[in-house]
Each structure stands twice: as C-alpha cells, then as structure tokens.
Amino acid sequence: MSIRVVNPYVSAETPWRRGNLHAHSTNSDGDRSPQAVVDAYAALGYDFLMISDHDCLTDPDALDSREMTLLPGNEVTARGPHVLHVNASVRLEPRAEREDVLKAIDADGRFAIMAHPNWEEHYNHCPQASLESWNGYIGIEIYNGVVRRLYGSPLATDRWDRLLSMGRRVWGFAHDDSHCAQDDGIAWIEVQSLAMEREALLDALRRGAFYASTGVALESVHVDGPTVAIRTENAQRITAISDFGRQLAAVDGATIEYTISRDAAAKYVRFECWGPGDSMAWTQPFFVEKAQ
C-alpha cells in the first residue's frame, strides 16, 4: 500500500500575509468606528482585514485601507450559532436554520467559517452534531481571541480533530474577534500568497494555504513524499497530531521532520507549534490518501 500526503502549502519562496477575518466596529457592538479599526490593524502591520459586524455589512470600499487589502464580510449572528460570511456581497437574513444560511453563502460564490464553537459557559456555542451534519463551510475557528476574556474556551482544536477524524476536510482559523483595542493582535492567520489582491487571498484561503497563530511564526513547510518538514522562527516544541487528537511525535526545538508510515491508520496529520509563554501556531492538516 502506498500513501499520498496532500499538501495545502506552496513553495517556500511564497510570502506569508498576516490577516484577521473577525473584527467589529460601531456598526454593531465594537467600540471604534470602522476606520479606527482599520487604522489599528494597519499600525500592527497586518496585510489584510475583514470587518465582520453582526448582521451588518460594513462596506470596505468606503474606508481608507491604509495599504491593507480589505475584505467585505459580516457575522451572521441572530437566531443561531455565529457564522463568518467571508467576501460577502449582501447582508443575509440570519435564518435560524443555519444550513440555509450556509447554502446561501455558497450559492453566492462566497465561503463560510463557523465561529468560536467553544464559547459560552457550556462550551457549546455550536453543537458538534451540527458541525458534523452541516455542509457548506470551509473551516472553523480553532482559536478565538475575545473568548479569552469571556466564558468558555478560546481553543477549539478538540472540535476540529473530531471533524477531521470523521473525514471532513475543514481548515483551522485563528482570529481576534476584536471588539475593542485590548482584543487586537491576539490571534491571526498567515496566508501564502504572491499577490495581495482580494481574489488571490481568497483563493489561498479556500485551498488551506495558511496557518493559524497566536505568536509562533512559521518559516517554511515542505513535503517530500510521506515526509513533512516544518521550520519555525521561534517554536520551542512541535508536536504531530493525528486522528482524534492522538500525538504521534514531539520534538523540542524550532523544527520537525516527520515521516508518515504507510501502515498508519491516520486520516490526517497536523502540527502544533508551542512557543514562549502561551504562544502557538497550528498548521493545516495534511490529509493522507492511501492506494493499493
């Protein structure tokens, strides 16, 4: 039996572009104007930003981009689990049947991300059964910064591993969910894209050519046959994670090289990079395809 490792990343020469797809302004429940939010992220050196006001479409073309790429979007909020509507062209009715919302987003040629599934005191903002049964979203927030100061857990890799282990191919996102200045710069994504144009970034996101971070920076990702090599700037420990969160390997240091066995039962392997303090980075899953 041979295996093929599906690599979502591109060449090491492709630059990483930092961005956030989850931020709020005074158009919903944020405490700053849309322009002030843009100014704040530009000052942090971000390359792209989406203001995702609750059930409200904030027009990025009306703002000074401060040389960032601004994506239109919103957070479908009322009457159900929250859904990030990325590259939105219209405000969608927040129907209680969220699968109808997901179908509408997909029909419009846009894409959806399920937000902060482990938010709230019951750690169940979006039930796992719903995540498993719904279609039409490309990923979930595996880390949501604002939940650090709210009830629940900002981390949702447990939800992600369960989805991946049942064969769902969904990407892991990290966002600030910024409502005020103290929320800025907690969690972000780094996208591999030669161009900064909107469509280039969106294409890379759809393909999974990005990683999620709260402070650890990746330098390169390389796949050679069944071997995955990760090089970082500042990781102190890197672990290889597979089905249902099982740890396959751990290395103390800034790099790891892991070979997936042809006899392994893994559907995927992903990597968690642990840095100073509570900083981390998460690669996208490398799906394992087997052939006789």
Side-chain angles (χ1 to χ4, degrees):
M1 177 182 291
S2 62
I3 64 170
R4 172 176 176 261
V5 177
V6 181
N7 177 17
Y9 297 98
V10 293
S11 70
E13 292 72 31
T14 305
W16 298 102
R17 314 287 190 176
R18 180 174 297 192
N20 176 33
L21 299 176
H22 199 165
H24 298 281
S25 76
T26 49
N27 285 347
S28 62
D29 60 345
D31 72 352
R32 295 168 293 179
S33 69
Q35 187 62 58
V37 176
V38 171
D39 294 347
Y41 277 92
L44 289 173
Y46 278 55
D47 298 300
F48 65 93
L49 176 69
M50 184 177 89
I51 295 180
S52 55
D53 283 314
H54 296 286
D55 296 324
C56 171
L57 185 57
T58 296
D59 181 9
D61 294 334
L63 304 172
D64 182 338
S65 70
R66 304 299 188 200
E67 300 184 354
M68 291 190 296
T69 300
L70 301 182
L71 303 175
N74 72 325
E75 184 174 5
V76 181
T77 301
R79 298 195 287 276
H82 296 188
V83 180
L84 290 175
H85 179 187
V86 181
N87 195 34
S89 61
V90 295
R91 174 194 177 276
L92 293 177
E93 179 66 24
R95 300 183 62 178
E97 292 295 332
R98 282 300 194 249
E99 194 156 26
D100 290 344
V101 173
L102 295 174
K103 289 177 181 176
I105 292 172
D106 185 61
D108 194 34
R110 274 56 182 172
F111 63 80
I113 302 163
M114 304 308 298
H116 43 61
N118 280 339
W119 173 43
E120 298 179 300
E121 64 276 11
H122 42 62
Y123 290 71
N124 200 32
H125 172 73
C126 186
Q128 188 68 19
S130 297
L131 291 175
E132 292 178 2
S133 66
W134 291 341
N135 293 297
Y137 63 93
I138 71 163
I140 70 169
E141 286 185 332
I142 59 170
Y143 198 93
N144 179 283
V146 77
V147 178
R148 296 205 309 188
R149 60 180 178 86
L150 302 175
Y151 293 128
S153 173
L155 188 66
T157 52
D158 61 319
R159 306 296 204 95
W160 194 28
D161 280 318
R162 278 180 275 175
L163 289 168
L164 296 172
S165 299
M166 65 176 289
R168 295 292 295 271
R169 296 198 173 190
V170 293
W171 308 124
F173 290 80
H175 299 135
D176 284 338
D177 195 356
S178 175
H179 289 72
C180 59
Q182 76 179 91
D183 301 330
D184 298 348
I186 294 173
W188 58 88
I189 51 178
E190 296 271 357
V191 179
Q192 277 188 314
S193 178
L194 289 172
M196 281 293 297
E197 284 76 13
R198 185 179 292 174
E199 289 305 318
L201 293 171
L202 292 168
D203 179 63
L205 289 167
R206 287 183 183 275
R207 290 184 288 104
F210 65 98
Y211 68 90
S213 180
T214 61
V216 172
L218 271 58
E219 291 182 346
S220 64
V221 179
H222 181 69
V223 174
D224 184 9
T227 301
V228 182
I230 310 291
R231 180 177 298 277
T232 76
E233 293 180 7
N234 58 333
Q236 298 174 346
R237 183 176 178 83
I238 305 176
T239 57
I241 306 294
S242 187
D243 299 39
F244 296 104
R246 183 165 65 102
Q247 182 174 290
L248 300 177
V251 173
D252 290 325
T255 63
I256 190 172
E257 188 171 291
Y258 180 76
T259 299
I260 302 170
S261 169
R262 70 178 65 185
D263 299 320
K267 289 185 176 68
Y268 67 94
V269 177
R270 62 178 183 83
F271 295 85
E272 294 187 346
C273 308
W274 303 69
D278 62 356
S279 64
M280 291 189 68
W282 301 265
T283 72
Q284 298 307 322
F286 298 84
F287 295 106
V288 181
E289 298 180 347
K290 298 182 180 180
Q292 296 293 337

